[in-house]
Amino acid sequence: MDTRDVVFIALFAAIVAALAVFPPITLPVVGVPVTAQSLGVMLAGGVLGAARGGLALVLFLALVALGLPLLAGGRGGFGVFLGPSGGFLVGWIAAAFAIGFLTELFWNRLNYIVAFAICVAGGVVLLYAIGVPWIAAVAKIPVGMALTGSLPFIPGDIVKALVAAGVIVTVKRSYPIITPRARAQKQT
């Protein structure tokens, strides 16, 4: 890892922190707030790749654990990891890594549709696969109930995936940072 990598990791940790400034949008009827920080997770993986994207979120969450109020609503401290949303926070690392890995893997065929599918796979499906069981465990409720309570967040996450896909493809065209991952070759 060189200085450039460290700068990109720190930059994207700062971007995720800066996205906490956007005020949460409360969904009508259910009153569920949607924040912009998971957009930063998608961008970190899709722009930086698996290793650097994952490390950007490790750095960000380490700062949160140390008590910096970097989460939406000015939250921070180790206690946030023990609450119902802790699984989503920990899942951010896996989501950024997975999005980066898939972006590297499909780099040569990366277009808006592929980037969107990658963001949905890592930033929605994988993230909910980690976060929903965590909610169920912490709140001592069935997983189905935790999933039902999380459903109102999905439209906002889809919008964030649409935005992230556009940014990822634009960065690929103008200033590519990712090194494509070699696909396994069939041996004949």
Side-chain angles (χ1 to χ4, degrees), residues 91-180:
W92 282 357
I93 298 168
F97 183 88
I99 291 167
F101 180 85
L102 292 171
T103 302
E104 292 168 5
L105 191 62
F106 292 101
W107 185 255
N108 294 329
R109 297 186 317 181
L110 192 70
N111 59 31
Y112 183 79
I113 300 298
V114 172
F116 172 71
I118 289 169
C119 287
V120 169
V124 180
V125 176
L126 176 61
L127 193 55
Y128 281 65
I130 296 168
V132 169
W134 189 296
I135 290 172
V138 170
K140 295 179 176 52
I141 60 173
V143 173
M145 185 181 292
L147 179 60
T148 302
S150 299
L151 289 178
F153 288 100
I154 292 178
D157 289 336
I158 297 297
V159 170
K160 290 180 252 183
L162 289 166
V163 171
V167 172
I168 291 165
V169 171
T170 301
V171 171
K172 178 193 178 199
R173 290 181 187 150
S174 61
Y175 189 78
I177 298 168
I178 289 179
T179 304

Side-chain angles (χ1 to χ4, degrees), residues 24-35 148-153:
I25 299 168
T26 302
L27 297 177
V29 181
V30 293
V32 177
V34 177
T35 67
T148 302
S150 299
L151 289 178
F153 288 100

Side-chain angles (χ1 to χ4, degrees), residues 20 37 60-61 64 68-76 80 89 92:
Q37 286 188 294
F60 174 79
L61 293 174
V64 168
L68 274 67
L70 300 177
L71 296 173
R75 296 176 305 125
V80 298
L89 297 176
W92 282 357

